[in-house]
Amino acid sequence: MEKTYLGFKDWDFKSEQREYTAPVKLLAADGTLIPKGWARRNVFDYDRKKVLKQMRRKEWDFYQLSNGKMMVQISFANISLGGYASAVLVDLIEGKTVASQMAPFVGGKDKYVLPAKGDVPNNVKFKIGEAEVEFDTRETSRTLYFKMKDVECHFEMDIMEGLENITTVLPFDGFPDRYFMTTKQNSMPCEGTFRKGDTVYEFSKEDTFCILDWGRVCTPYSLVWYWGNGSTYLVDEKGEKHIFGFEITWGIGNEKNATETCIFYDGKAHKFGAVDVETFPKPDKFMEDWVFVSEDGRFNLTMTPFFDHHSDLNVYAMRMHSHQVHGKWNGTVTLDDGTVLEIKDMYAFCEYVENRW
């Protein structure tokens, strides 16, 4: 199988997991992709001027934080034709959007340029119409700020010393100048407030974690993917607290040399193989159990959904259709040294997305 691994009980896909540990240029002088693999930090040097299809270039910094009851999404995206800054607050228990503000812009090819790496100190600060947005990344912390009309939010998160992530570069067969490069970094305890009018929602590091989804891509018109992520505290037999997280993404491009699948334990990445879901959820099984198993058996978790955050945006030739399903996760995962961790009622999500843009 080339694109997906649906029907994994008869698995005929084997990922080779090529890890990069030293800096390498992302694109050659002629705009073709050089590396194909993954890294524990972003070692891929990105020069946006080398992208051949400038109007297919898309760049975003997306943050999602949650305590399992309320969820906040704060993002800035530049998709060359235009883009937006936005902030959204969702009540996961009631299953409704509490607040949402978006500031769009047109013609973003050479303006509102985002940093070339997302896991090193950098600052994003823009004013778009009525919106103000700032993402400030330092060695040991991140600060997010968004303000527009009656919405204002401010969050701070911890970055533990030596925190690793998973950065992947995936090619697209038949398109030597196309690529999908993302950094996913979780395991970041987060605190702050989201204000809607006179109502303030507070979040604490005791139960709130943030995930960074950082993307710099040049893709074909149509994409489909799964993306699952979560972080939590685990207490071991000695009563010591550890931060555990996972990242699973699949279905994008050619994943022979890397799958975006990783366990994080106390900030260190533990790489495992490709993942699939036992039953394809589309079109009417999104609220049934999702059973995940990796090709190497190290990731064996079941998500029992409690909310499907469904959206479907159609604008001319563009469509962004998403089922981001939130639930409780149970099962086992295995670290690099063979240690098996039991996961009980962990809050996390997995989404199924179809995009044309």
Side-chain angles (χ1 to χ4, degrees), residues 67 189-191 203-209 232-233 241:
N67 55 18
C190 184
E191 67 181 5
F203 294 79
S204 168
K205 292 179 183 177
E206 294 299 314
D207 59 5
T208 303
F209 288 89
T232 191
Y233 293 109
K241 184 185 289 187

Side-chain angles (χ1 to χ4, degrees), residues 173-205:
D173 293 338
F175 298 90
D177 61 333
R178 309 295 173 88
Y179 57 89
F180 200 89
M181 177 175 65
T182 60
T183 294
K184 301 289 176 53
Q185 189 166 54
N186 65 13
S187 303
M188 295 183 290
C190 184
E191 67 181 5
T193 58
F194 189 111
R195 179 181 63 81
K196 163 69 172 175
D198 294 330
T199 304
V200 177
Y201 300 85
E202 296 186 355
F203 294 79
S204 168
K205 292 179 183 177

Side-chain angles (χ1 to χ4, degrees), residues 221 311-321 354 356:
Y221 174 59
S311 63
D312 193 358
L313 175 64
N314 279 282
V315 181
Y316 299 107
M318 292 177 53
R319 187 187 187 196
M320 301 175 68
H321 181 213
E354 299 172 351
R356 299 197 302 268

Side-chain angles (χ1 to χ4, degrees), residues 270-281:
H270 298 251
K271 189 73 181 69
F272 60 92
V275 164
D276 200 4
V277 61
E278 187 174 61
T279 302
F280 188 60

Side-chain angles (χ1 to χ4, degrees), residues 216-231:
R216 305 292 184 266
V217 310
C218 182
T219 65
Y221 174 59
S222 296
L223 289 178
V224 174
W225 71 71
Y226 287 88
W227 174 36
N229 195 285
S231 301

Side-chain angles (χ1 to χ4, degrees), residues 75-351:
S75 59
F76 189 95
N78 185 332
I79 61 172
S80 295
L81 292 172
Y84 63 88
S86 70
V88 179
L89 175 67
V90 178
D91 187 325
L92 299 175
I93 304 303
E94 294 295 327
K96 64 181 183 181
T97 298
V98 177
S100 178
Q101 289 288 359
M102 175 184 289
F105 60 86
V106 177
K109 186 169 75 75
D110 296 315
K111 63 181 180 180
Y112 301 123
V113 177
L114 294 168
K117 283 185 169 63
D119 58 355
V120 296
N122 64 80
N123 184 269
V124 174
K125 187 174 184 179
F126 297 123
K127 182 174 176 57
I128 303 172
E130 298 182 70
E132 298 177 32
V133 60
E134 183 173 10
F135 306 151
D136 188 55
T137 300
R138 304 189 181 188
E139 291 287 350
T140 59
S141 66
R142 272 197 176 94
T143 301
L144 311 179
Y145 179 78
F146 180 95
K147 183 178 181 181
M148 182 177 178
K149 296 180 179 178
D150 64 343
V151 164
E152 184 175 20
C153 42
H154 182 277
F155 293 95
E156 295 182 356
M157 66 197 75
D158 295 336
I159 300 176
M160 71 177 73
E161 184 178 357
L163 179 63
E164 297 180 343
N165 58 58
I166 180 165
T167 300
T168 54
V169 177
L170 303 177
F172 292 91
D173 293 338
F175 298 90
D177 61 333
R178 309 295 173 88
Y179 57 89
F180 200 89
M181 177 175 65
T182 60
T183 294
K184 301 289 176 53
Q185 189 166 54
N186 65 13
S187 303
M188 295 183 290
C190 184
E191 67 181 5
T193 58
F194 189 111
R195 179 181 63 81
K196 163 69 172 175
D198 294 330
T199 304
V200 177
Y201 300 85
E202 296 186 355
F203 294 79
S204 168
K205 292 179 183 177
E206 294 299 314
D207 59 5
T208 303
F209 288 89
C210 186
I211 163 72
L212 165 65
D213 173 8
W214 177 97
R216 305 292 184 266
V217 310
C218 182
T219 65
Y221 174 59
S222 296
L223 289 178
V224 174
W225 71 71
Y226 287 88
W227 174 36
N229 195 285
S231 301
T232 191
Y233 293 109
L234 295 181
V235 179
D236 64 19
E237 296 178 352
K238 300 178 181 179
E240 297 177 349
K241 184 185 289 187
H242 304 267
I243 296 181
F244 165 78
F246 69 84
E247 159 63 25
I248 52 174
T249 298
W250 73 99
I252 303 175
N254 186 325
E255 299 176 88
K256 179 180 179 181
N257 297 130
T259 55
E260 198 173 316
T261 51
C262 203
I263 296 164
F264 299 97
Y265 194 64
D266 287 340
K268 300 302 179 184
H270 298 251
K271 189 73 181 69
F272 60 92
V275 164
D276 200 4
V277 61
E278 187 174 61
T279 302
F280 188 60
K282 183 184 178 182
D284 59 357
K285 299 183 185 301
F286 290 102
M287 291 303 292
E288 297 182 11
D289 282 0
W290 296 38
V291 179
F292 302 89
V293 178
S294 64
E295 62 178 339
D296 50 21
R298 291 178 55 187
F299 190 89
N300 191 338
L301 294 176
T302 297
M303 176 179 69
T304 301
F306 62 79
F307 175 53
D308 178 6
H309 184 44
H310 177 224
S311 63
D312 193 358
L313 175 64
N314 279 282
V315 181
Y316 299 107
M318 292 177 53
R319 187 187 187 196
M320 301 175 68
H321 181 213
S322 172
H323 287 268
Q324 189 182 78
V325 180
H326 300 257
K328 297 290 187 173
W329 295 56
N330 289 274
T332 60
V333 299
T334 304
L335 304 182
D336 288 344
D337 64 1
T339 300
V340 177
L341 303 178
E342 185 174 3
I343 308 303
K344 295 182 179 180
D345 291 331
M346 174 185 177
Y347 160 73
F349 72 90
C350 188
E351 67 181 24

